[in-house]
């Protein structure tokens, strides 16, 4: 039996991980530590037993230390992060505070509990990071490996790079048993509607413009969030302390292709389920038109990385990890979830308009 703290466990990826871990290891206890900012939502954890939600800040080291002592924590899975690139460009301070200072706070508490006072008791600190720390790839360049030099290009990716280096340093300097995973672009249930896939899906349903940066040909590797959770589980169970593992989806697609897939899937859903026209009367397919009509090109994002791609050879060979979903399957499941959970995303769309 393990006792986990999952930071950011009421957010998108963290909440999916908590649901996944409860199914995979129902005997374990989980403490979710989440500040419940705009991207954190108590409702993401509805229906889960054996999960304690603590509203608090990872920068509050005494709080983290008390939780570790009170719950005999032996595993930290660190998802908590500011993660939206656009927000980091407009306001980088919060990203440095949460992603760098917050990670250091957790590392200090972990070192004290497990090494200074715990006598080296068995433990694991798993840090969840991003492929964006590696920078941007040219079309002909090979995919990112764990040995690819860091070259972050946004305040978000720079702050994540800083946190990665701190985790590495705490392992090599103090002996803290850490692992780090650098993942590609996630999508799936519970994703706040500011990222491409939920935003464009919900905009299409509501007849709103689909704002495409630049020429729409920026390339990303798309990873269904449950496949990501499986990758994190593999790191926890099989990863070697001090090592980094790239977790990808094996679905390298230009944004325009993703947008076209979203539009096609939404249009087909209206054909399959005629009741959708009544629920979403402003959607183009409710009026016999294509969702592609909503495409709108906007000024490109500052410092927009052109291409990301993940080489997951190390995770596959050492951990036995491989994604189970291609993009069409993963997005079909995601669209079905959003169509069934208007009660979840409706209030968030209203919040997104105000932030």
């Amino acid at each position: 039996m393990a006792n986990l703290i999952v930071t950011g466990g009421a957010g998108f990826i963290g909440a999916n991980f908590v649901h996944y871990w409860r199914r995979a290891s129902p005997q374990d206890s989980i403490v979710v530590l989440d500040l419940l900012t705009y991207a954190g939502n108590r409702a993401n954890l509805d229906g889960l037993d054996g999960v304690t939600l603590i509203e608090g800040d990872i920068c509050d080291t005494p709080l983290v230390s008390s939780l570790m002592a009170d719950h005999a924590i032996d595993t930290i899975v660190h998802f908590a992060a500011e993660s939206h690139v656009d927000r980091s460009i407009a306001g980088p301070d919060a990203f440095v505070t949460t992603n760098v200072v917050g990670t250091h706070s957790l590392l200090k508490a972990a070192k004290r509990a497990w090494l200074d006072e715990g006598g080296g008791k068995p433990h694991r600190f798993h840090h969840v990071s991003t492929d964006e720390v590696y920078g941007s790839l040219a079309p002909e360049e090979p995919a990112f490996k764990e040995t690819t030099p860091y070259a972050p290009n946004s305040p978000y990716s720079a702050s994540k790079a800083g946190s990665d280096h701190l985790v590495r340093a705490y392992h090599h300097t103090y002996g803290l048993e850490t692992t780090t995973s650098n993942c590609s672009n996630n999508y799936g249930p519970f994703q706040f509607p500011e990222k491409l896939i939920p935003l464009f899906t919900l905009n299409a349903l509501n007849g709103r413009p689909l704002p495409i940066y630049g020429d729409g040909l920026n390339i990303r590797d798309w990873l269904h969030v449950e496949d990501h959770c499986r990758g994190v589980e593999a790191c926890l169970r099989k990863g070697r302390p001090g090592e980094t593992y790239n977790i990808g989806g094996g679905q390298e697609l230009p944004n325009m292709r993703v947008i076209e897939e979203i539009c096609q899937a939404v249009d087909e859903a209206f054909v399959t389920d005629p009741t959708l026209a009544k629920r979403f009367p402003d959607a183009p397919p409710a009026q016999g038109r294509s969702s592609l009509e909503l495409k709108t090109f906007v000024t490109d994002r500052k410092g927009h990385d052109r291409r990301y791609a993940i080489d997951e050879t190390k995770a596959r060979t050492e951990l036995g990890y491989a994604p189970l979903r291609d993009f069409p399957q993963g997005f079909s499941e995601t669209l079905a979830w959003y169509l069934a959970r208007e009660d979840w995303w409706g209030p968030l769309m209203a919040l997104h308009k105000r932030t």
Side-chain angles (χ1 to χ4, degrees), residues 205 269-270 273 276 279-280 334-342 345:
L205 291 175
F270 277 72
D273 183 359
L276 293 178
R279 290 175 57 195
F280 306 106
T334 301
L335 175 59
W337 188 89
Y338 278 97
L339 288 174
R341 292 301 309 272
E342 188 176 357
W345 57 258

Side-chain angles (χ1 to χ4, degrees), residues 170-253:
Y170 264 71
H171 170 73
H172 285 275
T173 301
Y174 303 114
L176 196 69
E177 295 198 355
T178 67
T179 44
T180 295
S181 56
N182 294 86
C183 70
S184 54
N185 279 38
N186 279 224
Y187 68 97
F190 300 119
Q191 189 169 26
F192 190 82
E194 66 183 357
K195 301 295 180 75
L196 189 153
I197 286 179
L199 177 64
F200 279 48
T201 299
L202 301 182
N203 278 10
L205 291 175
N206 290 282
R208 296 173 183 164
L210 307 180
I212 302 167
Y213 282 131
D215 60 8
L217 298 181
N218 299 74
I219 295 172
R220 300 293 182 262
D221 174 36
W222 292 95
L223 172 65
H224 189 277
V225 67
E226 187 166 303
D227 281 335
H228 184 194
C229 293
R230 292 177 49 253
V232 171
E233 178 190 30
C235 290
L236 288 167
R237 299 194 190 281
K238 301 177 183 179
R240 291 181 289 132
E243 292 296 314
T244 295
Y245 299 92
N246 284 347
I247 306 296
Q251 302 292 294
E252 192 179 338
L253 300 170

Side-chain angles (χ1 to χ4, degrees), residues 110-123 174-177:
K111 174 180 174 290
R112 178 181 178 183
W114 294 333
L115 302 181
D116 299 343
E117 299 175 356
K121 62 183 290 187
H123 63 271
Y174 303 114
L176 196 69
E177 295 198 355

